[in-house]
Amino acid sequence: GINAEYGVSIDKTGEHFRMLFDVKGRFLIHRIKKEEAAYKLCNVKSVRTAAKGVPVITTHDGRTIRYPDPLIKMHDTVKVDIATNKAVDYIKFEPGNLAYITGGQNCGRIG
């Protein structure tokens, strides 16, 4: 079954794949380990305070995560545990970090 936006698991064979893009914008199937299939990387689209002063972040795929690390800011990347929908780790958006382009003319490029 499908367990995330770009993650696919085949239960009969126990295989897990992540759907990526090649440099021409076509889907590329990348085999991953079971541990990697348990999480997803999400881009932070907004950081705000919800009702009763609860801090929340909203990710690119519409997830709302309550009580994130206070150092997480907009445009950072969070590692989300799919089972619990919690932010496990994060990567700051800053010069020098590697990026994987998922849309537009440079889709599939890493740099």
Side-chain angles (χ1 to χ4, degrees):
I2 296 176
N3 64 2
E5 188 173 84
Y6 295 114
V8 178
S9 295
I10 301 173
D11 298 329
K12 278 188 176 180
T13 61
E15 293 177 306
H16 306 279
F17 303 95
R18 191 153 327 260
M19 302 296 286
L20 302 173
F21 296 105
D22 67 3
V23 292
K24 293 194 175 200
R26 300 174 295 207
F27 280 115
L28 180 73
I29 300 173
H30 178 70
R31 188 181 307 263
I32 58 174
K33 297 177 184 149
K34 185 176 182 179
E35 299 81 37
E36 286 183 72
Y39 68 84
K40 178 181 178 183
L41 297 177
C42 296
N43 187 6
V44 177
K45 289 294 178 188
S46 73
V47 180
R48 60 186 170 83
T49 305
K52 300 182 183 176
V54 176
V56 295
I57 58 173
T58 305
T59 62
H60 77 281
D61 60 347
R63 295 175 193 264
T64 301
I65 300 171
R66 297 165 45 104
Y67 299 107
D69 187 313
L71 298 176
I72 296 175
K73 303 292 180 215
M74 203 162 117
H75 302 301
D76 289 349
T77 299
V78 291
K79 181 177 172 181
V80 178
D81 185 333
I82 296 170
T84 62
N85 200 35
K86 301 266 189 234
V88 181
D89 197 9
Y90 69 96
I91 302 165
K92 297 298 289 177
F93 180 71
E94 57 192 7
N97 287 351
L98 269 180
Y100 180 75
I101 311 301
T102 58
Q105 194 117 20
N106 294 311
C107 182
R109 291 190 181 183
I110 300 172

